[in-house]
């Protein structure tokens, strides 16, 4: 099988990614002819069934799109609707939103690091096998994740699909005493997060780099999470209101998810590596120090090292959560009034996997006339395909089994959240 | 179960038709517990089945009853199944998949590796056929809510 110039590899179940899709690689004449990330999961029509609903409903409806990052959907929805209604939410309510989002980052990143990605670097087929040998490591991951769960549960009202978020803020704001209990958990989690960075820094990372333009939100003075200006490594900057002028989504035959490109510029990458590359200077000193010690430079262009960036972002999120708790003064009311008005609003926030954009059109009564949602994974598809193309081309001498396994690992670098389905990604490599 | 810690975990999504069976059983138990002293100390939780959350919910308990809807390959829903710990572990999938797709069997195996299994684990499952969008159980699956609730009460009583 090795060294065949024409071949096909076929992996029916790519483990440890979210969603239902397939990877098809065709090799002809010793060259990679075609790479397609095929997402065949049925479209879910969220944008269609949001039309005609009340402007207050998207935070709850869109939270159902993903069980891993429901907060991101809620925050982008709130931002877009408040923008449409001309309301700006700041002060303690905005801080509580950032705190809630920190919880989601901790949960999602830790889940990916420990249960999905680290086994690749340690030579285990799954976290289960890792746990049999290194119980302490998996326990640390679960404890860290639980700290994130605790934030989401307290602020969101429950651990999954939070119910305490509303347009304008929250239904209920926590008492300082409740947050104090959370802080005790987070102080322990901070040590676990720092240990995680140190541990992951010891992994062996293949030498692989990309030159994609990277895109993330930026906010002066702090690491962007719940809002900001869109910036790219190519020097482009624009507000969420101009997102659709710059980001063009296109249908491709092999995917039920749209592909995105930057107008006149092409493919791009969102996610932790993009955030780090564009916002490194706004990390806390401790998180930056951990990044330096882990060998992350000014930029992260090696997708394998994304696990390090996630670990650094967990340090930041835990620390930021502690800072927000320390400074917390309960708001006079848990939400500001957001009276409806006719208009269009835009919201973009940094989901764990990258920018999540929402746009809503409202009529004067507050009924939704149009909705658009651009999730991070669909934005990354073209870049993932390009990386896979170069990745396979450099490893054509591998036998099918090894090449397949390494392609699976390469895809996991991007933590693709194809959807919340309980299905797998199939990988096909066609060598003729 | 006097003095022992007991949790009933309803796994599923009430907005995906029959997948809401587990949460529906838990909701029914919530109502019953107001007048049933046997249920007073029982922890009742709904869960999406994410493995780390399941582990957190049952760690340290003497009895965990997991209620779930399953695809059993039958044309008609409503078949009832009861599995105990070792039977569940036999369902472990060696290719343990996504965070969403880690099977209950694999979760049990993970719990075993971590020393985080309940002393006794019982799974009460019902075969379901409708997992589309929307609330509401199919008649065959809805008819199993009361029998499963009754079995839970026997187990925790």
């Amino acid at each position: 099988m090795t060294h065949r110039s024409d071949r096909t590899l076929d992996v029916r179940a790519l483990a440890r990614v979210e969603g239902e899709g397939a990877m098809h690689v065709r090799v002809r004449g010793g060259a990679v002819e075609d790479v397609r990330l095929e997402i065949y999961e049925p479209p879910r029509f969220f944008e269609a069934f949001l039309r005609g609903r009340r402007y207050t409903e998207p935070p709850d409806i869109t939270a159902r799109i993903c069980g891993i990052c429901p907060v991101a959907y809620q925050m982008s929805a709130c931002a877009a609707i408040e923008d449409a209604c001309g309301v700006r939410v700041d002060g303690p309510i905005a801080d509580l939103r950032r705190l809630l989002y920190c919880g989601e980052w901790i949960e999602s990143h830790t889940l990916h690091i420990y249960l999905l990605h680290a086994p690749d670097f340690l030579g285990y087929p799954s976290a289960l096998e890792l746990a049999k040998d290194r119980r302490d490591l998996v326990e640390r991951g679960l404890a860290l994740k639980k700290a994130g769960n605790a934030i989401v549960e307290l602020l969101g009202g429950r651990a999954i699909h939070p119910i305490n978020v509303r347009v304008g803020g929250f239904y209920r704001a926590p008492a300082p005493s409740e947050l104090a209990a959370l802080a005790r958990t987070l102080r322990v989690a901070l040590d676990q997060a720092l240990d995680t960075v140190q541990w992951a820094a010891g992994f062996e990372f293949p030498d692989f780099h990309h030159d994609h333009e990277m895109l993330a939100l930026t906010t002066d003075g702090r690491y962007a999470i719940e809002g900001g200006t869109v910036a790219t490594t190519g020097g482009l900057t624009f507000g969420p209101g101009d997102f659709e002028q710059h980001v063009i989504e296109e249908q491709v035959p092999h995917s039920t998810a749209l592909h995105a490109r930057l107008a006149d510029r092409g493919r791009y990458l969102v996610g932790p590596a993009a955030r780090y590359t564009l916002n490194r200077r706004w990390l806390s000193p401790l998180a930056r120090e951990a990044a330096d010690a882990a060998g992350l430079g000014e930029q992260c262009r090696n997708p394998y090292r994304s696990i390090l960036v996630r670990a650094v972002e967990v340090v930041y999120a835990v620390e930021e959560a502690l800072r927000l708790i320390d400074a917390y003064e309960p708001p006079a009311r848990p939400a500001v009034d957001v009276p409806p008005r006719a208009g269009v609003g835009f919201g973009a926030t940094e989901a764990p996997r990258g920018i999540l954009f929402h746009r809503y059109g409202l009529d004067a009564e507050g009924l939704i006339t149009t909705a658009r949602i651009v999730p991070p994974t669909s934005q990354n598809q073209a870049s993932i395909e390009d990386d896979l193309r170069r990745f396979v081309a450099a490893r054509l001498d591998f036998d099918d089994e090894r090449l397949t396994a390494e392609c699976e690992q390469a895809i996991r670098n991007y933590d693709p959240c194809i959807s919340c389905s309980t299905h797998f990604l199939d990988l096909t490599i066609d060598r003729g | 179960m006097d003095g022992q810690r007991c949790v009933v975990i309803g796994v599923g999504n009430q907005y995906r038709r029959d997948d809401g069976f587990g949460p529906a059983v838990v909701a029914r138990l919530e109502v019953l517990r107001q007048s049933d002293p046997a249920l007073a100390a029982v922890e009742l939780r709904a869960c999406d089945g994410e493995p780390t959350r399941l582990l957190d919910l049952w760690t340290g308990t003497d009895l965990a009853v997991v209620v779930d809807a399953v695809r059993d390959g039958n044309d008609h829903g409503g078949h009832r199944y009861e599995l105990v710990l070792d039977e569940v572990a036999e369902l472990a999938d060696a290719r343990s998949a996504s965070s969403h797709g880690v099977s209950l069997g694999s979760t049990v195996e993970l719990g075993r590796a971590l020393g985080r299994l309940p002393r006794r684990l019982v799974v009460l499952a019902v075969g379901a056929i409708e997992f589309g969008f929307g609330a509401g159980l199919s008649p065959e699956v809805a008819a199993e809510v009361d029998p499963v609730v009754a079995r839970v009460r026997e187990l925790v009583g």
Side-chain angles (χ1 to χ4, degrees), chain A residues 60 74-75 92-97 99-100 150-158 162-182 328-336:
Chain A
D60 289 326
Q74 294 187 311
M75 295 297 107
I93 297 173
D95 286 347
L96 283 175
R97 285 179 165 176
L99 176 58
L100 175 63
I151 297 177
V152 175
E153 193 157 6
L154 177 62
L155 269 68
R158 65 181 180 191
I163 48 170
N164 190 33
V165 171
R166 57 176 290 185
V167 172
F170 294 86
Y171 290 100
R172 173 187 175 275
S177 58
E178 294 174 286
L179 293 184
L182 205 53
Y328 178 62
E329 298 276 349
R333 295 168 58 215
V336 298

Side-chain angles (χ1 to χ4, degrees), chain B residues 45-113:
Chain B
R45 301 296 293 264
C47 178
D48 61 351
E50 194 267 296
T52 66
R53 279 196 273 269
L54 274 175
L55 290 180
D56 283 341
L57 288 176
W58 74 40
T59 295
T61 61
D62 296 288
L63 169 66
V65 181
V66 173
V67 183
D68 202 357
V70 296
R71 289 186 197 275
D72 60 0
N74 285 312
D75 292 338
H76 299 287
H79 298 273
R80 209 163 351 124
Y81 305 89
E82 182 166 333
L83 303 170
V84 293
L85 185 63
D86 287 342
E87 293 170 307
V88 179
E90 285 169 13
L91 303 174
D93 173 5
R95 284 187 63 83
S96 191
S98 75
S99 54
H100 299 227
V102 174
S103 69
L104 181 59
S106 295
T107 303
V108 168
E109 280 299 294
L110 184 59
R112 193 191 305 280

